[in-house]
Amino acid sequence: MVETQLNIEKIRKDFPILHQEVNGKPLVYFDNAATSQKPQCVIDALTHYYNTDNANIHRGIHTLAERSTTAFENTRKTVGKFLNAAEAEEIIFTKGTTEGINLVAATFGRKFIGEGDEIIISALEHHSNIVPWQILCEEKKCVLKVIPVNEKGELVLAEYDKLLSERTKLVSVNYISNALGTINPVQEIIDKAHAVGAKVLIDAAQATPHARVDVQAMGCDFLAFSAHKVYGPTGVGALYGKRALLEAMPPYQGGGEMIKDVSFSGTTYNDIPYKFEAGTPNIGEVIAFKAALDYVNEIGLENIAAYEHELLEYANELLADVEGFRPIGTADQKASVVSFLIDGVHPFDLGQILDAKGIAVRTGHHCAQPLMEIFNIEGTVRASFSVYNTKEEIKYFVEALKSSIKMFKK
Amino acid sequence: MATINSVQESIIENFGMLDGDMEMTIGYIMELGAKLPEFPEEHRTDENIVKGCQSKVWLYAHLEGDKVIYQADSNTAITKGLVSMLTEILSGQTPDDILSADLFFQERIGMNRFIGTQRSNGFGAMIKQMQIYALALKSKIGA
């Protein structure tokens, strides 16, 4: 195995939040799949915006409006390049992945999906890629189909083949499972969907922090992700859509920015992407989003992915030694997520004892209750690693886990 | 017979010895839970589950003379410890005393710091359920 070339100590210094004690112990932050921490450059970009450039975008002629508009649109260009979109106009700013998916359901879904049509999702989805389609199906009387998973937490593609038909209008799947870390074969899923004329939406919320995502190479029709999982601010995300589709779709919400002309006899809508961006957006956070992507680009996603994989392998090695350890999700292709149970110990108890030791993990169903049902469990403990985590932290975590388990064996 | 307030005072004293150490406190709460008498299986029904708790908590109450006896259980060790403190304080007391009780121990031991917002909402739900039982059983005594 090639040892990482990254200077992790230097990277850790970029994240001020990591250098604190929690419950009297040094913080070990392993809840990165929920949200990542923010480097100083992102925090600086936010404060710089509010200190010097704050103004509403696109409509002002004054200097501050010009500055904020330029910075805002620069983020759009950076996101476009980050995803290798054909043009920046194919990037729509949203509140996050959830809103991106809801936007597609409310616009593409409203116009192009009708009674008897079928939408395919997978058993690995987050609630935010289940519920918007259930709402649409209720309204449009269309049908939701689910690609099943095997005992390792991998999608069963043979079953996917059987679900696909000319009735399939949309396939919406995640690239990487938030609950288990499974990396899905999205290329195959996209190609097979296109072969029956269906469109594809990729939920890339868990992928963008760990993998190079190239929307043109993949050929997906839509892709949604959130800034806050890629070291950026909360409340901001991006939806990529192919130009022809975005142009054919009706607007999402009505309001300012999304119009060309308004009169009481009728309104003409703005061009993309503005047609989908009604109201004043989260300007400062969008601007700081660029700083986050610049930061990722500087370290290099490939380097990040390689280092995180090292952490995952190290964790798996140490955890195999823990009494009663039961991993949930053992896919061959996995992101740096360990979801597990300890025999005889409830995840909530474990999460709280680990917190007392300064370790932040997530416990529960991870917004994927149907998946938990398949595994016949209430939830798991999930440790998810990021580029600023270290092997020392993993070692401390595993030791903490062992001593926590002892508390139950008394 | 210990009073509601005297039991609370002894809980406060025991927590005081833990010196605010989070790990020791959680360990202590779990030990308290482990001492809870076994919960009767016939009462482990859905209607005896306390609504509003993230963990599963079963709570049952009956009268012995004019005193309310509570029995409880949970699927998580920490929550079991938390509910055991409540049964220790309120079990064996009269409905009137339970309904007028001031559960000052929560603030004095700094409970919120130990259990977080979600669990403290659940804790509130347990107390409310115990009061509802007391009220229902009070009308039985009166009848």
Side-chain angles (χ1 to χ4, degrees):
Chain A
M1 196 167 65
V2 186
E3 284 288 312
T4 179
Q5 299 304 306
L6 293 177
N7 185 344
I8 303 304
E9 213 168 300
K10 183 169 169 286
I11 287 172
R12 284 182 69 80
K13 283 191 183 133
D14 294 334
F15 292 82
I17 203 169
L18 298 177
H19 310 285
Q20 64 173 304
E21 291 196 341
V22 166
N23 297 320
K25 314 275 162 45
L27 168 66
V28 173
Y29 186 78
F30 283 170
D31 195 17
N32 294 288
T35 196
S36 64
Q37 297 304 345
K38 321 304 172 198
Q40 190 63 50
C41 60
V42 169
I43 300 164
D44 288 347
L46 256 182
T47 50
H48 176 82
Y49 167 74
Y50 286 114
N51 279 330
T52 62
D53 295 344
N54 177 50
N56 211 333
I57 51 169
H58 294 143
R59 287 175 291 274
I61 196 168
H62 58 82
T63 304
L64 294 191
E66 185 58 32
R67 274 193 224 150
S68 62
T69 303
T70 305
F72 185 88
E73 289 304 325
N74 278 342
T75 300
R76 199 187 305 277
K77 288 177 197 159
T78 301
V79 174
K81 275 190 196 142
F82 186 72
L83 300 178
N84 192 32
E87 43 185 334
E89 288 73 19
E90 293 178 321
I91 303 300
I92 297 157
F93 288 119
T94 61
K95 283 190 292 186
T97 309
T98 299
E99 194 185 33
I101 296 169
N102 275 279
L103 190 157
V104 175
T107 59
F108 174 84
R110 202 198 309 157
K111 185 157 179 186
F112 295 107
I113 299 178
E115 194 172 337
D117 286 343
E118 294 177 358
I119 299 165
I120 297 176
I121 59 172
S122 90
L124 286 173
E125 301 314 315
H126 188 283
H127 293 162
S128 61
N129 198 22
I130 301 173
V131 184
W133 309 117
Q134 288 176 327
I135 293 171
L136 185 70
C137 286
E138 205 169 298
E139 207 180 292
K140 293 282 194 167
K141 299 188 170 50
C142 49
V143 183
L144 193 61
K145 303 250 168 169
V146 183
I147 310 170
V149 286
N150 63 19
E151 68 288 346
K152 290 163 87 179
E154 296 168 323
L155 295 183
V156 183
L157 288 190
E159 293 299 318
Y160 173 54
D161 292 343
K162 290 182 204 159
L163 296 178
L164 282 166
S165 76
E166 73 284 353
R167 290 187 301 277
T168 312
K169 288 291 171 294
L170 183 77
V171 176
S172 186
V173 292
N174 59 26
Y175 195 140
I176 295 178
S177 153
N178 73 303
L180 309 183
T182 310
I183 302 175
N184 291 315
V186 283
Q187 192 61 61
E188 203 177 331
I189 291 172
I190 293 166
D191 293 343
K192 284 179 169 169
H194 284 165
V196 299
K199 304 296 181 207
V200 181
L201 164 60
I202 299 293
D203 166 358
Q206 297 294 337
T208 41
H210 314 290
R212 178 65 62 195
V213 171
D214 183 331
V215 290
Q216 289 192 82
M218 286 161 70
C220 57
D221 301 282
F222 303 102
L223 182 138
F225 77 107
S226 303
H228 74 94
K229 295 199 201 278
V230 204
Y231 313 106
T234 51
V236 171
L239 173 71
Y240 157 82
K242 282 181 180 164
R243 173 180 275 276
L245 271 171
L246 295 179
E247 282 178 342
M249 279 152 48
Y252 176 43
Q253 294 176 324
E257 192 71 38
M258 53 77 70
I259 50 89
K260 225 170 221 157
D261 286 298
V262 177
S263 75
F264 285 118
S265 57
T267 292
T268 52
Y269 303 127
N270 207 337
D271 296 327
I272 66 161
Y274 310 112
K275 183 170 82 173
F276 298 103
E277 294 180 357
T280 297
N282 219 337
I283 303 168
E285 280 71 8
V286 166
I287 290 170
F289 184 10
K290 179 181 185 297
L293 295 181
D294 288 345
Y295 183 79
V296 170
N297 286 332
E298 202 183 307
I299 300 175
L301 259 178
E302 288 75 11
N303 294 330
I304 292 173
Y307 176 63
E308 288 175 349
H309 189 72
E310 253 178 62
L311 293 180
L312 176 70
E313 291 203 324
Y314 185 66
N316 281 337
E317 191 187 312
L318 296 191
L319 285 167
D321 208 31
V322 174
E323 191 190 339
F325 176 74
R326 179 182 157 206
I328 306 293
T330 48
D332 292 340
Q333 298 294 319
K334 264 191 72 169
S336 51
V337 171
V338 187
S339 218
F340 65 94
L341 289 171
I342 300 292
D343 288 341
V345 184
H346 197 284
F348 289 169
D349 287 329
L350 208 48
Q352 195 155 359
I353 299 169
L354 290 172
D355 177 61
K357 295 171 186 288
I359 301 167
V361 293
R362 188 137 295 241
T363 56
H365 53 60
H366 316 300
C367 294
Q369 279 180 311
L371 180 65
M372 298 295 124
E373 251 174 64
I374 291 168
F375 281 96
N376 200 19
I377 54 179
E378 270 180 71
T380 70
V381 179
R382 183 187 68 188
S384 48
F385 312 122
S386 183
V387 70
Y388 43 67
N389 291 130
T390 65
K391 288 186 181 171
E392 289 71 33
E393 286 180 312
I394 289 174
K395 201 169 170 205
Y396 173 68
F397 160 65
V398 175
E399 289 310 315
L401 199 55
K402 285 179 180 168
S403 72
S404 304
I405 294 166
K406 275 195 195 128
M407 292 172 74
F408 290 85
K409 307 290 175 198
K410 272 183 189 168
Chain B
M1 177 72 205
T3 65
I4 287 176
N5 285 359
S6 69
V7 180
Q8 290 193 85
E9 290 295 352
S10 79
I11 289 176
I12 292 163
E13 202 184 315
N14 291 340
F15 270 78
M17 289 190 281
L18 299 164
D19 220 14
D21 182 278
M22 187 74 128
E23 243 185 289
M24 276 164 58
T25 304
I26 290 174
Y28 180 62
I29 292 172
M30 281 167 53
E31 273 174 32
L32 293 178
K35 286 185 202 147
L36 251 187
E38 203 143 314
F39 189 74
E41 281 310 308
E42 70 266 28
H43 297 312
R44 199 183 296 281
T45 57
D46 283 354
E47 63 206 58
N48 286 336
I49 290 178
V50 180
K51 285 166 196 72
C53 289
Q54 243 197 349
S55 312
K56 271 192 189 137
V57 176
W58 293 270
L59 193 63
Y60 181 75
H62 67 278
L63 277 178
E64 278 179 17
D66 63 345
K67 306 276 167 43
V68 181
I69 306 298
Y70 291 102
Q71 290 165 296
D73 198 6
S74 172
N75 65 338
T76 73
I78 295 169
T79 304
K80 196 170 169 179
L82 294 174
V83 76
S84 81
M85 286 195 263
L86 291 175
T87 58
E88 196 192 342
I89 294 167
L90 297 177
S91 205
Q93 306 294 336
T94 65
D96 280 333
D97 285 345
I98 293 165
L99 289 167
S100 62
D102 169 16
L103 297 177
F104 53 82
F105 82 104
Q106 299 176 77
E107 209 180 301
R108 294 263 299 276
I109 64 173
M111 179 90 93
N112 283 0
R113 201 170 71 76
F114 298 128
I115 66 177
T117 322
Q118 277 188 327
R119 267 200 161 112
S120 72
N121 289 342
F123 198 66
M126 291 178 219
I127 294 170
K128 206 172 143 199
Q129 190 57 43
M130 293 176 105
Q131 289 168 335
I132 291 169
Y133 269 122
L135 200 60
L137 292 170
K138 182 184 168 169
S139 67
K140 251 187 176 175
I141 300 173

